[in-house]
Amino acid sequence: MIDPDRVHNVVADRSNDVAAAMTELDRRVFLPPEQHARAAENRPLPIGHGQTNSQPSTVAAMLCLLQVPIGARALDVGAGSGWTTALLARLVGPDGSVLGLELEPDLAEQGARNLAAWPLPWASVELASRQSLGRPVGGGYDRILVSATAQELPGELVDQLAPESRMVLPIRHTLWLVERHGDEIERSPHGSYLFVPLR
Ligand SMILES: C[S@@+](CC[C@H](N)C(=O)[O-])C[C@H]1O[C@@H](n2cnc3c(N)ncnc32)[C@H](O)[C@@H]1O
């Protein structure tokens, strides 16, 4: 049951807001200088350490599927360049919060620097733990975005979902929407994509 006090659980189509956020938060600013000239290409681009900034059409598909409500508490697993963390921050607005987690220390630093260039103080990029996936928080996250592919649905992240919540993640080559309604977990497949592995 949706808690009426947590209006940010309400699901709504935010495709137009996703498009606006992607226009405003220029991908170029999140890329290493040698990739700037390619920022407009609809393809994944290298950000160092064998990792990539995801293809814009894939990011748009994931964010539309996630249906991020204003005021939500969001977790961004695989923050990389910080771009998806910034996009989520724009979607949740100042009443929400976004924690971006990145496993690669250099990228976590770079992502945090890139994010700091924007007035989005309710979001941060931090170093992920090598011992555990995500970062549990009281009450759970309203939305979880995962930008690296898992071999199976990670129970650790399902456990970090709030009672009414959504997670979008790749599992092997398929993008999945996971919806939590209390004790019920529903999953639906949403097309084929290629991602770097979740480690
Ligand atoms: C497709 S890339 C990053 C895309 C990123 N969202 C962006 O906007 O640039 C996926 C990232 O997930 C990171 N990653 C892999 N396993 C992870 C884990 N367990 N926790 C956090 N980050 C992880 C990789 O280091 C990589 O930077």
Side-chain angles (χ1 to χ4, degrees), residues 56-67:
S57 58
T58 304
V59 173
M62 292 176 89
L63 291 174
C64 287
L65 204 51
L66 201 57
Q67 298 194 331

Side-chain angles (χ1 to χ4, degrees), residues 23-103:
T23 302
E24 183 188 340
L25 297 166
D26 187 358
R27 183 193 195 199
R28 183 178 171 279
V29 177
F30 293 86
L31 293 170
E34 64 276 15
Q35 297 298 333
H36 282 182
R38 302 180 66 198
E41 294 178 18
N42 187 29
R43 56 179 72 208
L45 293 173
I47 53 174
H49 299 275
Q51 306 303 323
T52 54
N53 172 275
S54 306
Q55 185 165 339
S57 58
T58 304
V59 173
M62 292 176 89
L63 291 174
C64 287
L65 204 51
L66 201 57
Q67 298 194 331
V68 182
I70 291 168
R73 180 195 279 161
L75 175 67
D76 184 25
V77 177
S81 67
W83 192 38
T84 46
T85 306
L87 292 168
L88 284 166
R90 172 55 71 226
L91 291 170
V92 303
D95 291 336
S97 64
V98 187
L99 173 61
L101 292 177
E102 170 53 49
L103 198 60

Side-chain angles (χ1 to χ4, degrees), residues 69-142:
I70 291 168
R73 180 195 279 161
L75 175 67
D76 184 25
V77 177
S81 67
W83 192 38
T84 46
T85 306
L87 292 168
L88 284 166
R90 172 55 71 226
L91 291 170
V92 303
D95 291 336
S97 64
V98 187
L99 173 61
L101 292 177
E102 170 53 49
L103 198 60
E104 194 61 56
D106 283 351
L107 293 181
E109 264 181 42
Q110 189 59 50
R113 256 200 310 275
N114 291 339
L115 179 66
W118 303 88
L120 301 166
W122 52 94
S124 63
V125 172
E126 299 178 20
L127 187 60
S129 161
R130 292 203 171 261
Q131 279 72 49
S132 55
L133 194 52
R135 189 179 293 169
V137 68
Y141 296 97
D142 303 304

